[in-house]
Amino acid sequence: MKKKILIVVDMQNDFIQGSLGSSDALNIVENVTEKIKSYSERNDLVIATLDTHTKEYLNTLEGKKLPVLHCIKGTEGHDIDKRIKNCLNTNTIYVEKETFGSFRLKDIIEEYLKKDGIDTKDIEIELVGLCTDICVVSNAILLRAMFPNTEISVASSCCAGTSKERHNASLEVMKSCQINVN
């Protein structure tokens, strides 16, 4: 049986009910909590990413293209939503990332596999979270490049984009990159 890894992307207050929140993001919270619970019950690895910015965010390239303060480290908006946080267990690995995707995921996953002598072809990685068209797609494609022989999937009912159209377009892009969309 393959080892499963869940990556919970940026389920933070600012993306759910804060400065960049949306009703679509609110609507996936319950689905994401159920997904996390299923992984925790099997004692599978759960990694939670946090979009992390400083007060200087508006001076960055991203801040100039998206001039909305969000996920400033040390603020309530940076915190993971309490409903999500309550489902994460003590074994959850948290990854702060300054931009859309995280190269650190590769090291974390390889270290996890190394301790049990598991090959990357013997795992499955699933992604859920926000926003489908920015951070979810970025991490999914990075993971596809880093783990070319690993099954990677995205749970579409556990993701929301900046719009329904962009959410759906991103799912199609991921399918084109041999990422399973469920």
Side-chain angles (χ1 to χ4, degrees):
M1 183 163 78
K2 292 192 176 209
K3 193 77 170 161
K4 296 181 182 271
I5 298 170
L6 178 66
I7 300 177
V8 180
V9 179
D10 300 353
M11 290 297 293
Q12 295 162 267
N13 291 324
D14 272 348
F15 290 127
I16 297 171
Q17 71 271 359
S19 59
L20 292 172
S22 70
S23 59
D24 288 343
L26 277 168
N27 289 336
I28 68 162
V29 170
E30 186 175 331
N31 293 346
V32 173
T33 61
E34 292 304 314
K35 182 68 75 172
I36 293 167
K37 288 176 187 174
S38 72
Y39 274 76
S40 293
E41 287 169 2
R42 292 190 309 259
N43 203 30
D44 290 325
L45 177 62
V46 176
I47 300 169
T49 70
L50 292 105
D51 195 42
T52 304
H53 301 295
T54 69
K55 293 176 184 164
E56 299 299 315
Y57 170 76
L58 294 176
N59 295 324
T60 67
L61 179 64
E62 179 184 334
K64 290 175 182 162
K65 293 183 180 269
L66 178 63
V68 178
L69 284 175
H70 66 281
C71 300
I72 305 299
K73 188 168 180 159
T75 67
E76 185 177 329
H78 181 257
D79 294 339
I80 292 177
D81 179 271
K82 286 181 184 169
R83 295 161 290 185
I84 302 295
K85 185 88 168 169
N86 289 338
C87 296
L88 299 171
N89 63 37
T90 56
N91 296 325
T92 300
I93 298 172
Y94 296 90
V95 177
E96 291 185 352
K97 56 187 191 55
E98 298 174 355
T99 189
F100 309 133
S102 175
F103 290 102
R104 286 192 54 224
L105 292 173
K106 183 176 193 284
D107 295 336
I108 291 166
I109 291 169
E110 286 179 339
E111 183 178 313
Y112 170 75
L113 298 176
K114 185 178 179 182
K115 71 177 180 172
D116 292 331
I118 299 170
D119 189 272
T120 58
K121 70 180 177 2
D122 296 324
I123 63 170
E124 293 176 5
I125 300 171
E126 185 172 24
L127 293 93
V128 300
L130 302 168
C131 294
T132 317
D133 52 310
I134 303 173
C135 294
V136 174
V137 69
S138 295
N139 283 291
I141 291 173
L142 279 173
L143 289 163
R144 167 52 57 233
M146 293 185 282
F147 298 105
N149 293 309
T150 298
E151 289 290 333
I152 298 173
S153 63
V154 172
S156 61
S157 66
C158 296
C159 294
T162 57
S163 71
K164 288 185 186 329
E165 296 77 21
R166 289 180 177 180
H167 167 80
N168 289 330
S170 297
L171 296 175
E172 291 303 315
V173 166
M174 289 186 273
K175 286 179 188 176
S176 295
C177 294
Q178 301 176 353
I179 294 164
N180 303 318
V181 176
N182 306 320

